[in-house]
Amino acid sequence: MVRMELYQQDCLEGMAGLRDASVEVVITSPPYNLGVRYSAYRDDGGRGAYLQWARCWGRELRRVLRPGGSFFLNLGATPASPLLPHQMALLMSRFFRLQNTIHWVKSIALSRPGGEIVSAGHFKPLNSRRYLTDCHEYLFHFTPEGNTPIDRLAVGVPYTDKSNIRRWQHTGGRDLRCRGNNWFIPYPTIRQRSAERPHPATFPVELAAMCLKLHGVDHCSTVLDPFLGLGSSALAADRCGAGRFIGYEIDGEYLAEARARLERNARAV
């Protein structure tokens, strides 16, 4: 049973009460400073003030993260404001080493050898004469020193060409290879956004679960999400059997929905 600790509290206030090096994994997706309409947070402030704020919680995350820990930071952008994820990556590099850059692919179009084009996933349509529709977000994997071991095959995929299993010695006879750093995880289809996904910028539970698996579920003693939202990271921690989960969220409605999702998940098990 995962020890769940969900608080309606500013993350800076909450993390101030955590001991140094007491967290194994951080998974979070902060506000993007792109004008998203949250109910209890203004997401349209100046970029300088936003980065200064991020510096404060980034410094705290570095303090509470263990030497062999992992910090997974999900960030998106807009075509008109594409630099934020890169600015944030550079900022967090003051406190951490960027060990892996993962692309969360929400929608993709594939051309088959015969010419057939297959489109999978979901995206927000964009009517523009300048920009392409944005179908992905970044997932930056930071670690304290850049040498944290990971379990690549925990999120592995089967070989398409099965002869590779025998051909390559490193397979050990297993039909499993590294997934790479492009993770196709579409949103589940929803009929009514306000009822089924009331938070305007959630990420799928599977995305957070894959982060925990990549770090190694046996090493997820304490998981932290300083920007809990609707609790996708909490659900992932519960699914993966983490020892303890800590989440902070300033919006009471979002926090209530996060707790309700956990209760529904517990009843469904």
Side-chain angles (χ1 to χ4, degrees):
M1 179 70 68
V2 180
R3 177 182 167 188
M4 288 286 173
E5 302 177 25
L6 309 185
Y7 303 100
Q8 186 176 353
Q9 189 177 20
D10 182 277
C11 65
L12 287 172
E13 297 175 0
M15 288 190 291
L18 298 180
R19 300 190 314 275
D20 293 358
S22 60
V23 172
E24 185 71 36
V25 182
V26 176
I27 305 173
T28 199
S29 182
Y32 294 170
N33 192 228
L34 298 174
V36 175
R37 291 186 178 181
Y38 298 99
S39 60
Y41 172 77
R42 289 290 303 271
D43 191 44
D44 56 357
R47 182 60 53 87
Y50 175 83
L51 293 174
Q52 180 61 39
W53 170 68
R55 185 179 293 109
C56 293
W57 55 257
R59 184 182 298 111
E60 273 297 280
L61 289 180
R62 181 63 182 88
R63 180 184 66 80
V64 303
L65 192 66
R66 292 176 181 170
S70 288
F71 167 29
F72 294 94
L73 177 62
N74 167 228
L75 289 166
T78 66
S81 184
L83 292 180
L84 174 66
H86 310 286
Q87 290 176 308
M88 286 286 283
L90 287 172
L91 174 62
M92 292 301 155
S93 295
R94 298 184 180 189
F95 311 114
F96 305 93
R97 299 286 183 88
L98 180 57
Q99 187 164 322
N100 290 287
T101 298
I102 299 162
H103 301 272
W104 167 27
V105 180
K106 303 176 183 180
S107 176
I108 191 168
L110 302 173
S111 298
R112 296 187 180 277
E116 178 189 9
I117 297 177
V118 178
S119 180
H122 305 279
F123 60 89
K124 184 178 180 179
L126 176 69
N127 184 18
S128 174
R129 299 182 63 181
R130 293 190 292 163
Y131 302 122
L132 295 171
T133 299
D134 201 345
C135 298
H136 94 293
E137 292 189 12
Y138 291 94
L139 183 63
F140 296 115
H141 175 215
F142 292 101
T143 61
E145 301 297 335
N147 56 7
T148 295
I150 57 175
D151 188 353
R152 301 195 312 161
L153 296 187
V155 294
V157 295
Y159 283 95
T160 301
D161 184 351
K162 303 304 181 185
S163 67
N164 289 330
I165 303 171
R166 297 186 304 274
R167 183 183 307 128
W168 292 339
Q169 196 172 31
H170 70 268
T171 67
R174 289 197 295 172
D175 184 12
L176 203 61
R177 67 169 180 83
C178 176
R179 179 183 295 265
N181 65 351
N182 292 320
W183 293 1
F184 174 56
I185 308 175
Y187 279 116
T189 301
I190 61 173
R191 293 179 174 82
Q192 186 177 359
R193 183 188 180 103
S194 60
E196 298 180 60
R197 204 172 77 208
H199 190 287
T202 58
F203 57 75
V205 175
E206 184 59 28
L207 182 70
M210 287 176 66
C211 292
L212 294 175
K213 292 175 184 177
L214 184 68
H215 179 78
V217 293
D218 293 337
H219 304 289
C220 294
S221 56
T222 301
V223 180
L224 167 67
D225 186 346
F227 304 99
L228 181 65
L230 298 186
S232 292
S233 53
L235 285 162
D238 190 51
R239 178 188 299 181
C240 294
R244 178 190 183 195
F245 179 86
I246 305 169
Y248 301 108
E249 174 54 53
I250 61 173
D251 190 303
E253 292 184 7
Y254 294 164
L255 185 61
E257 178 59 23
R259 288 174 171 153
R261 292 177 77 193
L262 285 166
E263 291 175 4
R264 290 194 296 268
N265 182 69
R267 289 196 299 267
V269 174

